[in-house]
Amino acid sequence: MMGYVHLVLLSTFLSVSMTSETFDVMEGEASVIKCPRWSSSVKVTWYHMDTNKIIPAEEEGSRVFSLKHFLWFLPTSREDSGKYTCVTRFPNNRTKSFNVSVQVHPYKQGICFPNQIHYPNDTGRGKIVCPTIDNYKNATIIQWYKDCKPLQGERYFMGEKYIFINNPRKEDDGYYTCRFIYTHKGNVFNVSATRIFISKAKHSPLPPQILFPKDKDVIEVELGAALSLKCQARLGIKKQLMAVVTWDVDNTPVKGLHFSRFHEKTHFFEGREQEYYGETTLHITEVKKEDLQANFTCIVVNEMGNTKATVTLKLKAQYGKIYDAYVIYPRSHTSEANFVEYFVYQIMPDILENKCGYKLCIYGRDIYPGEDTASAIEKRMQKSRRLIILLTNQLINCKEPAYDQHIALYNALIPNNTKVILLEMETIGTYEKLQESLRFIIKQQGTVKWKEQHTVHPQSSNSKFWKQVRYHMPLTAKSSYSANAG
Ligand SMILES: *[C@@H]1O[C@H](CO)[C@@H](O)[C@H](O)[C@H]1NC(C)=O
Ligand SMILES: *[C@@H]1O[C@H](CO)[C@@H](O)[C@H](O)[C@H]1NC(C)=O
Ligand SMILES: *[C@@H]1O[C@H](CO)[C@@H](O)[C@H](O)[C@H]1NC(C)=O
Ligand SMILES: *[C@@H]1O[C@H](CO)[C@@H](O)[C@H](O)[C@H]1NC(C)=O
Ligand SMILES: *[C@@H]1O[C@H](CO)[C@@H](O)[C@H](O)[C@H]1NC(C)=O
Ligand SMILES: *[C@@H]1O[C@H](CO)[C@@H](O)[C@H](O)[C@H]1NC(C)=O
């Protein structure tokens, strides 16, 4: 009651305060509240307005106490919610008082901060300072949270009293809570404080970085073959207004080349973390000799600068590959000559070897009985640049061990990317009985069909059939490219 009387008496000296601040604190944590206006020359008295009692200075074991212009809760309790007044008395006995309101929030599942945040928003480039920590001597930050989830990762740098977010983006906006511990006379208390962070950086460029190719890469090519050169670069976070990813050939932009052999396609996309990528593909419809001397340079530009990577082409190493094609066909077990063997031993070598200059590996001709067949076949296949597989009804309708063995080996070689050419020697009709790997190739590239009419002039390398076969064959010194344009 005395407190009340005292307060009423004081009120006659009071000048009206315009402010009444609210402090939202979490239950069970240490909390310190500062009298809003204060100077070192004034004496401050704290009152609890609901009980009209002066809040005394700290004594042994006190939980709520005043210390100069501070009101301490060690720790807070739900019943501490209410209104408090700090009265400041100047040396001339003039007084001024301020009302403050304290709201203690109980913890709820997934909620680690009060719904009202009173600390100013941090907007900017990524530094978030832990609020109130300076009120607590020797406090140590234990953990930072964003929207109540613990923060960790390389993007966050923890300072003593702040956290720094590397390249903040829109998704970094949110409630940042610092949890620290404060030790008071040997007792340890939790404290947390939360502020809102709003990233300023909406579209931040990063120094342009080419992810591939690597500068000075040398790419193996085949003359006459098509080639795609892809260049991918990271340009920043979110869509960049200034973004260029393009190919130059010998310092001339592809778009200025007017070569129908060269085409460029560019597209931009965002990654999982909204990083912005540009990718451009230079399509060369057929690689020519002069391309082996050219510098292909991927150029990347954004508002932070530019970077480039130059690649050159060289002919695919020929070592190992001593055959242009390995020929797989169903062998006849009867003594009578059949057309397929005639084709394999006579017609094909005559056209592909004698007329076009290819080197074939033919089972029974280049692999002799007595050799350890399986490993001999495998070695030869690996040394062949193409596999030519003949499809006949015989191989579908009767089991043929050597053929199966070949196909099995072929299956093992698929990862080596050896290109396959399927010659449909007889009309097969339905492919359902074929091995799955063969059906897959048929689906992808079809077959080259030997039709009756070709038997009229089978030895003509200019027949449509042989033109198609040669189109799939590797380029050799003897075979001119025009012959391949089937
Ligand atoms: C403080 O609050 C009390 C009770 O609500 C009110 O009577 C008084 O005028 C307020 N004082 C100031 C300075 O606002
Ligand atoms: C202020 O009040 C105290 C007692 O409350 C009194 O002793 C002192 O003389 C006063 N000072 C002035 C400057 O009025
Ligand atoms: C801080 O950010 C929140 C959420 O965007 C907003 O509601 C509030 O008005 C901002 N406060 C200030 C002082 O800008
Ligand atoms: C500060 O706190 C740490 C533990 O958090 C303690 O080891 C250290 O002695 C304290 N320093 C002072 C000056 O109180
Ligand atoms: C501080 O908070 C942590 C995590 O919520 C809790 O495990 C610990 O018991 C608290 N310590 C005190 C002294 O309240
Ligand atoms: C390709 O680049 C190399 C190394 O920078 C240079 O020496 C060469 O002259 C360039 N070639 C052409 C055709 O520009």
Side-chain angles (χ1 to χ4, degrees), residues 298-335:
C298 177
I299 295 173
V300 178
V301 187
N302 72 0
E303 62 187 82
M304 286 189 84
N306 65 77
T307 185
K308 47 176 89 172
T310 297
V311 301
T312 50
L313 312 183
K314 74 162 189 182
L315 276 182
K316 208 167 246 173
Q318 300 290 308
Y319 62 87
K321 303 284 183 194
I322 54 171
Y323 300 107
D324 291 301
Y326 186 99
V327 182
I328 298 175
Y329 63 98
R331 296 224 300 152
S332 163
H333 292 286
T334 62
S335 54

Side-chain angles (χ1 to χ4, degrees), residues 109-133:
Q109 186 74 29
I111 292 173
C112 66
F113 53 84
N115 48 11
Q116 293 292 321
I117 306 290
H118 293 277
Y119 312 110
N121 294 346
D122 252 327
T123 52
R125 296 259 163 213
K127 186 176 174 180
I128 304 170
V129 177
C130 180
T132 76
I133 192 166

Side-chain angles (χ1 to χ4, degrees), residues 46-65:
W46 280 94
Y47 297 88
H48 192 296
M49 286 182 65
D50 303 330
T51 59
N52 304 311
K53 278 188 179 147
I54 292 179
I55 293 166
E58 186 179 12
E59 290 164 31
E60 184 70 33
S62 53
R63 188 178 64 79
V64 183
F65 58 90

Side-chain angles (χ1 to χ4, degrees), residues 376-391:
I377 290 171
E378 190 176 348
K379 261 186 222 145
R380 302 291 205 294
M381 277 191 181
Q382 270 165 350
K383 288 177 181 169
S384 301
R385 299 162 75 196
R386 299 283 187 273
L387 293 181
I388 295 178
I389 301 178
L390 274 64
L391 302 175

Side-chain angles (χ1 to χ4, degrees), residues 140-208:
T140 318
I141 294 181
I142 301 299
Q143 178 75 55
W144 278 91
Y145 302 82
K146 175 181 185 276
D147 301 327
C148 297
K149 290 185 194 79
L151 273 186
Q152 54 203 19
E154 281 173 10
R155 291 188 56 237
Y156 306 104
F157 171 78
M158 312 286 171
E160 198 190 339
K161 290 176 181 172
Y162 65 89
I163 188 172
F164 183 79
I165 306 172
N166 195 17
N167 292 312
R169 310 151 199 184
K170 199 88 200 118
E171 316 81 72
D172 290 317
D173 291 3
Y175 291 82
Y176 285 79
T177 305
C178 50
R179 183 163 68 80
F180 52 95
I181 54 168
Y182 167 64
T183 307
H184 184 86
K185 294 188 173 161
N187 296 316
V188 178
F189 298 94
N190 282 324
V191 194
S192 69
T194 301
R195 76 190 328 155
I196 292 169
F197 174 76
I198 300 163
S199 61
K200 219 174 219 161
K202 293 259 170 12
H203 314 283
S204 41
L206 297 173

Side-chain angles (χ1 to χ4, degrees), residues 15-17 19 49 83 85 97-99:
S15 54
V16 177
S17 163
T19 54
M49 286 182 65
K83 286 205 166 88
T85 295
S97 82
F98 303 92
N99 286 349

